[in-house]
Amino acid sequence: MYKLFIFFAFICTSPLWAQQTEILIVGTLHDVEPEQADNYHQLLEQIRPWKPTVICTEYRKPTDTVSLKAVFGDDIFDFQDSLAKTWKVNLKTLLSEIRAAKAKVQTMDNLENRIQLAKLYHVHQDRGNAFFQYYHICHQFQQLTKDQQEQWMLKEPYLERILNFEKRNSYDEYWLLAYPLAIEQNIDYLYPTDDQTDRDVYHQAWGKANEELADHPLTVEFQSLYDSLITISFGSLNQGTAGIRLNQLDVQEMLYRLEADFYPPGLSSSSDLRNYYWIKRNERMAKHVLQVAEQHPNQRIVVFYGGSHVPAIRRQLRALSDHRILTLPDLPQN
């Protein structure tokens, strides 16, 4: 009996049976043309069988006031106040209103409830989830008759903004990757994990570094490596395979070298600053991802970032956690 107990204890504690948090980091292209959408479709086909249970995106967190101001300007919260006033939203009870609106959508998934939830997310500065609701709304709107659509347009002025957003953004990485994947997996919230706290000083340092190093011999090598990467990217883009190619290890290492490891320390004070801010940004974003992982232990978390972030985020996550950190080549090939 004692031996049987030991046997079952061993099985239950064996790594083969233990669950583990898995974090898949996927590099995306921020902009493609409509005719190049296959670059996202092939990437989605590669990720879909993995069946993520949590999705993170490169949007600013609603609580990250520094990043929001850096990206959208100092008057962003004045705009938030004006939206709240227009839509009669009480900012003091906003989070509870969002929870109630989510519950209403789950009970009755219709255009009215989706629009209300989108407004609340927008007031909250949770733009990724506001846009996710836009995706739902646009698909529901398309199912209406022409007369019903006209009635809704008269009834709800906000719909015009949403439909215009679809025209401008229906070929971005979230519209074609994160949103359909979330719906397939019954995921109703996307976690924002970007951090652009140092946006201005990073770009200033990058511009000054370009001037200071314009005649440096290493700049020629840098440009050669950059040109090689561009050639790979455009060739793959035209073939519809850029999403897959961008996530291959050799390309990721090229990206890491270009973004964080090309110019040695001390070569230029501005270059040192630029590298410092780039690494710090990725370190902060990695920590945001780990906060999500803490809320969802033993889950499969997919993180969508611009391709140049992937190698830096991968290094940070592996240094900061014991989770299983994956990139696209780690998934079974279709």
Side-chain angles (χ1 to χ4, degrees), residues 48-68:
R48 182 179 277 129
W50 190 63
K51 296 184 179 180
T53 53
V54 179
I55 296 177
C56 295
T57 61
E58 194 178 341
Y59 284 109
R60 271 64 57 190
K61 298 172 69 175
T63 53
D64 186 357
T65 57
V66 176
S67 288
L68 288 170

Side-chain angles (χ1 to χ4, degrees), residues 11-22:
I11 288 179
C12 292
T13 57
S14 168
L16 295 175
W17 291 80
Q19 286 185 303
Q20 184 182 18
T21 300
E22 295 186 342

Side-chain angles (χ1 to χ4, degrees), residues 164-222:
N164 285 335
F165 180 91
E166 181 191 28
K167 291 177 184 177
R168 296 192 306 270
N169 296 277
S170 59
Y171 287 93
D172 77 3
E173 67 264 41
Y174 297 116
W175 205 271
L176 293 176
L177 280 173
Y179 301 160
L181 190 62
I183 290 174
E184 289 173 14
Q185 296 301 124
N186 294 315
I187 295 170
D188 63 0
Y189 184 81
L190 311 181
Y191 287 88
T193 57
D194 190 15
D195 191 309
Q196 299 204 33
T197 300
D198 302 314
R199 179 188 178 95
D200 292 340
V201 288
Y202 167 78
H203 285 292
Q204 289 168 11
W206 185 220
K208 289 181 179 178
N210 285 340
E211 295 175 6
E212 293 170 3
L213 299 174
D215 299 322
H216 195 282
L218 273 178
T219 303
V220 176
E221 186 182 346
F222 180 95

Side-chain angles (χ1 to χ4, degrees), residues 265-333:
L267 194 64
S268 157
S269 58
S270 296
S271 180
D272 287 350
L273 268 180
R274 180 261 186 193
N275 290 347
Y276 169 79
Y277 287 128
W278 174 254
I279 291 298
K280 290 300 290 183
R281 179 185 176 194
N282 286 286
E283 184 180 81
R284 288 193 298 265
M285 290 197 294
K287 288 179 179 177
H288 294 329
V289 173
L290 291 179
Q291 289 172 359
V292 175
E294 288 175 6
Q295 298 173 48
H296 300 278
N298 306 323
Q299 299 291 307
R300 293 184 301 279
I301 303 170
V302 61
V303 183
F304 291 108
Y305 280 133
S308 59
H309 292 288
V310 173
I313 293 288
R314 183 182 70 237
R315 281 169 165 79
Q316 293 293 340
L317 287 175
R318 286 178 174 170
L320 295 171
S321 78
D322 294 324
H323 303 313
R324 187 173 179 225
I325 310 303
L326 310 172
T327 52
L328 203 65
D330 297 310
L331 298 184
Q333 301 300 305

Side-chain angles (χ1 to χ4, degrees), residues 206 210 213-214 216-231 254 257-258 262-263:
W206 185 220
N210 285 340
L213 299 174
H216 195 282
L218 273 178
T219 303
V220 176
E221 186 182 346
F222 180 95
Q223 190 63 46
S224 176
L225 185 62
Y226 178 79
D227 290 343
S228 297
L229 184 61
I230 291 297
T231 300
M254 289 173 69
R257 191 170 183 222
L258 282 168
F262 193 88
Y263 292 114

Side-chain angles (χ1 to χ4, degrees), residues 132-143:
F132 184 27
Q133 298 309 312
Y134 290 5
Y135 182 87
H136 283 283
I137 291 164
C138 289
H139 281 73
Q140 291 183 355
F141 185 80
Q142 291 164 7
Q143 304 305 312

